[in-house]
Amino acid sequence: MIGVTVLGATGSIGVSTLDVLARHPDRFRAVALTANRDAERLAEQCRRHRPHYAVMADPQAAARLGELLADLPDPPEILCGVEGLEQVAALPEVDYVMAAIVGAAGLRPTLAAALAGKRVLLANKESLVVAGELLMRAVADSGAQLLPIDSEHNAIFQCLPPNFSDGLAQVGVRRILLTASGGPFRTWPIDQLALVTPEQACAHPTWDMGRKISVDSATMMNKGLEVIEACWLFGTDTDHIQVVIHPQSVIHSLVQYEDGSVLAQLGNPDMRTPIAHAMGWPERIASGVTPLDLFAIARLDFHEPDLDRFPCLRLAYEAARAGGTAPAVLNAANEIAVASFLERRIPFTRIAEVVAGTLDALPSETMDRQGLEFLLEVDRRARAQAERLVQLQVH
């Protein structure tokens, strides 16, 4: 039986992971489930999946969870805070860790899972964006497995040969084609984007995602972060990654080879497909996803992204090329800017301006094998600078 910890169990990825896990009760068991503050939903999940551990990032929510589960004859051990998250990510009885905590908050437990040699199912892209060098070093040193859950990166993984870690050029790869839906505003007049509301930005046309990721999709910062993530996952650089807008979200990404072949992975836009792929790999297991009906789709469209419409994508490429701490600054500034937009403190178009201003104020520093505390300090300074820029807008 394969023991699984789900970091971020109450989010969309966590819920999909538990759905796949429940389809294979003879193969997987939930050892630990975690959430931020949603004690009610985590309590429901604990009643159904009966984990040995339950973790709330928020201490008050942990106390509430204890109350909600007090009637169980064998309630899970309840932990709280980042220490609890790190503990359940590295438990000896855990084999797989789904890293699905959104944002930089997922960095510590994801790194703990890698250091403990687990199969890390990576849905938290910020772990690689902020600390790619640290995470990849931990994977190499511990013998952990790092399998991508983002639908695009999982698609690329499926289209590459098993020995791609020898170097993409050595296996005949010319470039990676990273698809993007383009979000809900790809056809809006640019001069209307300042009027976008949080409700409009969160109404993604093809994917059901959380609010922060939905906004990132609307600005295409999500795709920019995925470019940085792909550089680490597949040992390449931005010159070999091209973003392609594909509104139907049926082709999840493609790999172009030197012989002229282009391999693509297709499927309905349902995160259970990459989750089941990573949980079963190298086997294929049932995910519960409806089979793709090509006749119903009928057409597939592709467009080049407009960097005037999507300045966040341009900023992400620039941060990737700068390297060092620039991606960490980019991510931190974006998290502050997106939160401020969702709180209606700044307009939609100000998100990119806050990120650009923060990158200008905090030039990239070299990593020089610096540790996690150095990166967390960079993250703190970037958030403080981004908040200052938000305040300038507010006042």
Side-chain angles (χ1 to χ4, degrees):
M1 189 73 77
I2 296 170
V4 181
T5 284
V6 182
L7 301 171
T10 59
S12 60
I13 298 293
V15 169
S16 293
T17 300
L18 290 174
D19 181 86
V20 173
L21 186 148
R23 294 173 187 275
H24 302 276
D26 57 337
R27 182 170 184 144
F28 304 108
R29 63 184 176 92
V31 174
L33 304 180
T34 87
N36 186 17
R37 294 188 179 89
D38 194 346
E40 283 72 18
R41 191 166 195 181
L42 190 65
E44 293 174 5
Q45 293 176 333
C46 287
R47 289 182 181 278
R48 181 178 180 189
H49 298 281
R50 298 301 178 95
H52 298 161
Y53 300 88
V55 186
M56 302 298 302
D58 180 76
Q60 290 184 332
R64 174 62 178 155
L65 182 65
E67 295 171 359
L68 292 169
L69 297 177
D71 63 313
L72 287 181
D74 54 343
E77 181 177 344
I78 297 174
L79 307 172
C80 73
V82 67
E83 295 82 5
L85 295 172
E86 290 179 307
Q87 179 179 334
V88 298
L91 289 168
E93 62 267 42
V94 166
D95 305 289
Y96 296 177
V97 175
M98 170 57 74
I101 297 175
V102 175
L107 177 55
R108 282 188 182 275
T110 302
L111 190 59
L115 288 168
K118 308 301 184 184
R119 174 179 288 193
V120 181
L121 313 181
L122 188 67
N124 170 261
K125 62 175 58 65
E126 290 82 4
S127 294
L128 279 176
V129 172
V130 175
E133 183 178 324
L134 280 181
L135 184 58
M136 298 308 290
R137 190 192 313 155
V139 168
D141 290 348
S142 69
Q145 293 177 320
L146 188 64
L147 299 184
I149 296 300
D150 267 350
S151 61
E152 296 83 358
H153 299 100
N154 183 266
I156 295 162
F157 183 85
Q158 293 191 48
C159 293
L160 288 171
N163 61 332
F164 74 85
S165 59
D166 294 342
L168 296 189
Q170 280 64 45
V171 296
V173 172
R174 185 174 183 183
R175 61 178 174 173
I176 288 169
L177 303 175
L178 194 66
T179 58
S181 71
F185 310 126
R186 63 183 180 82
T187 60
W188 274 41
I190 292 179
D191 60 4
Q192 296 295 304
L193 293 178
L195 304 177
V196 166
T197 67
E199 291 76 20
Q200 290 169 324
C202 291
H204 195 279
T206 51
W207 290 98
D208 179 16
M209 304 182 294
R211 284 165 62 80
K212 192 268 183 184
I213 298 175
S214 293
V215 175
D216 282 349
S217 177
T219 65
M220 285 196 72
M221 178 61 88
N222 192 50
K223 204 54 48 179
L225 297 177
E226 288 176 7
V227 168
I228 298 170
E229 189 181 7
C231 290
W232 287 110
L233 284 169
F234 307 116
T236 190
D237 55 43
T238 57
D239 291 339
H240 294 91
I241 302 174
Q242 180 178 356
V243 173
V244 178
I245 292 180
H246 169 51
Q248 291 88 358
S249 299
V250 169
I251 296 178
H252 299 302
S253 274
L254 312 92
V255 176
Q256 186 176 63
Y257 286 86
E258 291 292 351
D259 62 4
S261 299
V262 179
L263 302 187
Q265 187 266 336
L266 289 73
N268 283 318
D270 189 318
M271 287 305 299
R272 290 177 297 174
T273 294
I275 290 167
H277 174 266
M279 290 184 73
W281 184 83
E283 300 175 42
R284 299 276 181 169
I285 63 174
S287 66
V289 176
T290 304
L292 185 65
D293 184 348
L294 290 174
F295 300 110
I297 295 163
R299 60 179 288 173
L300 301 172
D301 298 308
F302 306 95
H303 310 283
E304 187 173 356
D306 178 356
L307 297 185
D308 291 329
R309 179 183 298 277
F310 300 115
C312 283
L313 179 59
R314 172 179 52 79
L315 291 170
Y317 263 97
E318 291 173 358
R321 292 180 182 121
T325 58
V329 171
L330 173 93
N331 178 74
N334 181 64
E335 288 193 18
I336 293 296
V338 169
S340 300
F341 165 69
L342 289 171
E343 294 163 2
R344 303 179 194 275
R345 299 168 66 202
I346 61 172
F348 181 77
T349 49
R350 182 77 175 137
I351 294 172
E353 295 173 8
V354 168
V355 174
T358 306
L359 285 166
D360 287 343
L362 299 173
S364 180
E365 303 175 55
T366 59
M367 281 296 296
D368 259 349
R369 294 185 70 85
Q370 294 276 7
L372 180 59
E373 295 308 319
F374 170 76
L375 281 172
L376 292 176
E377 173 60 20
V378 168
D379 179 86
R380 187 198 65 76
R381 286 191 281 120
R383 289 172 189 273
Q385 176 61 29
E387 184 59 41
R388 284 191 286 272
L389 294 174
V390 168
Q391 290 294 334
L392 289 175
Q393 165 73 25
V394 172
H395 296 105

